[in-house]
Amino acid sequence: MSADPLSDALAVADARSVLSGAFTAGGGWAVRLHGRDRLKVIALLRGSCLLARDPGGEVLKLAEGDIVVSDGRQPYVLCSETGVEPLESGRAVVDPATGMARLGAGEEDVTCVSGHIDLSRDSGELLRRALPELIHVKAEVAEAEALRWLVDQLAREMRTRRAGVEFTLDQLAQLVFVQVLRVCLTESDGLPPGWLRALADERLAPALRLMHADPAHPWQLQELAQAAAMSRTTFAVRFKEAAGVPPLTYLLNWRMSLAARALRQDTAPVAVLARSVGYTSESAFSNAFKRAVGVAPRRYRETVRS
């Protein structure tokens, strides 16, 4: 692995951003966005609208250029105003020429694209637990300059529909999600305890980078505390407050996430895999993996591949 925990976590979670829909709207309109246990991304390319948790939740005003990421577990309604009966997503008529749906009967004044983040069945929780239920990145945020450029490119690709448009849209959607996470790192107060919040802490980040750069190393608390220029006690307390778990528990969980990904993707013997995450004994690794995941490594590999 690298010394870049953000890239590592995205790779281990098998995170893949997919653009799944787009629409224009005008007049009175509303559409229900179902929670499907996947991270949901909404980018407002033009105009303004409201976003409300369904049913009867807090209403959030979205402006042109804003981006929202939800954890996918709650349904939301995107609308011109509250009180409009929402259309179920997927029921709107799609223009075959543009691939965009049309909502409302008034003059078009809103353009929106939506997508989702596909995550692996288990390691995706590593990413999901690090994020708040809803992230709202406003267009005027200074750190969002790159996001505004990406959203503009999304709009241009959807208008021109040039060759390779589907592939390009998915790649842009992937970059949008990465940039949203980067913005989160600059506004960590809203993050729940987890690896992303720990990474946002400049004092803790060097220790995280060490663990990610060499997960097989038998890291000791003193080594990690020295990297963070803190005493053992201060480091341990600060790390747990930020990450939600003690440093060595974080290391154990990270090793198991790496192992699960290797078992899903590689054919290397379990003994080789065990050494790659710091275990000299296959039996010790198997016991640790079973405690963390619930099944033995070989059984896990058989199950995910079937």
Side-chain angles (χ1 to χ4, degrees), residues 157-168:
E157 285 291 331
M158 297 193 72
R159 286 196 305 269
T160 59
R161 309 298 297 182
R162 298 172 63 190
V165 61
E166 300 299 335
F167 179 83
T168 302

Side-chain angles (χ1 to χ4, degrees), residues 67-108:
I67 293 176
V68 171
V69 178
S70 71
D71 66 5
R73 289 178 172 157
Q74 297 290 335
Y76 285 86
V77 169
L78 200 64
C79 59
S80 58
E81 57 189 318
T82 57
V84 180
E85 182 66 23
L87 182 72
E88 297 295 327
S89 59
R91 297 281 302 276
V93 177
V94 177
D95 182 344
T98 65
M100 300 183 74
R102 177 72 169 88
L103 301 176
E107 183 179 350
E108 295 180 3

Side-chain angles (χ1 to χ4, degrees), residues 76-136:
Y76 285 86
V77 169
L78 200 64
C79 59
S80 58
E81 57 189 318
T82 57
V84 180
E85 182 66 23
L87 182 72
E88 297 295 327
S89 59
R91 297 281 302 276
V93 177
V94 177
D95 182 344
T98 65
M100 300 183 74
R102 177 72 169 88
L103 301 176
E107 183 179 350
E108 295 180 3
D109 56 12
V110 171
T111 303
C112 181
V113 298
S114 64
H116 59 264
I117 312 297
D118 281 335
L119 302 172
S120 66
R121 185 179 60 186
D122 45 14
S123 294
E125 288 302 307
L126 178 77
L127 182 58
R128 193 193 303 277
R129 287 195 300 266
L131 298 175
E133 180 181 309
L134 188 72
I135 302 169
H136 179 200

Side-chain angles (χ1 to χ4, degrees), residues 4-71:
D4 178 5
L6 180 55
S7 295
D8 290 348
L10 290 171
V12 169
D14 297 332
R16 188 173 70 92
S17 191
V18 179
L19 188 67
S20 56
F23 67 83
T24 58
W29 59 272
V31 60
R32 180 176 287 111
L33 308 171
H34 289 284
R36 302 190 187 281
D37 207 29
R38 298 187 294 192
L39 299 178
K40 183 76 173 177
V41 182
I42 300 169
L44 195 59
L45 305 184
R46 179 168 62 98
S48 62
C49 63
L50 303 177
L51 179 72
R53 182 190 287 186
D54 188 33
E58 180 182 357
V59 177
L60 186 68
K61 185 171 182 178
L62 303 183
E64 186 172 309
D66 284 8
I67 293 176
V68 171
V69 178
S70 71
D71 66 5

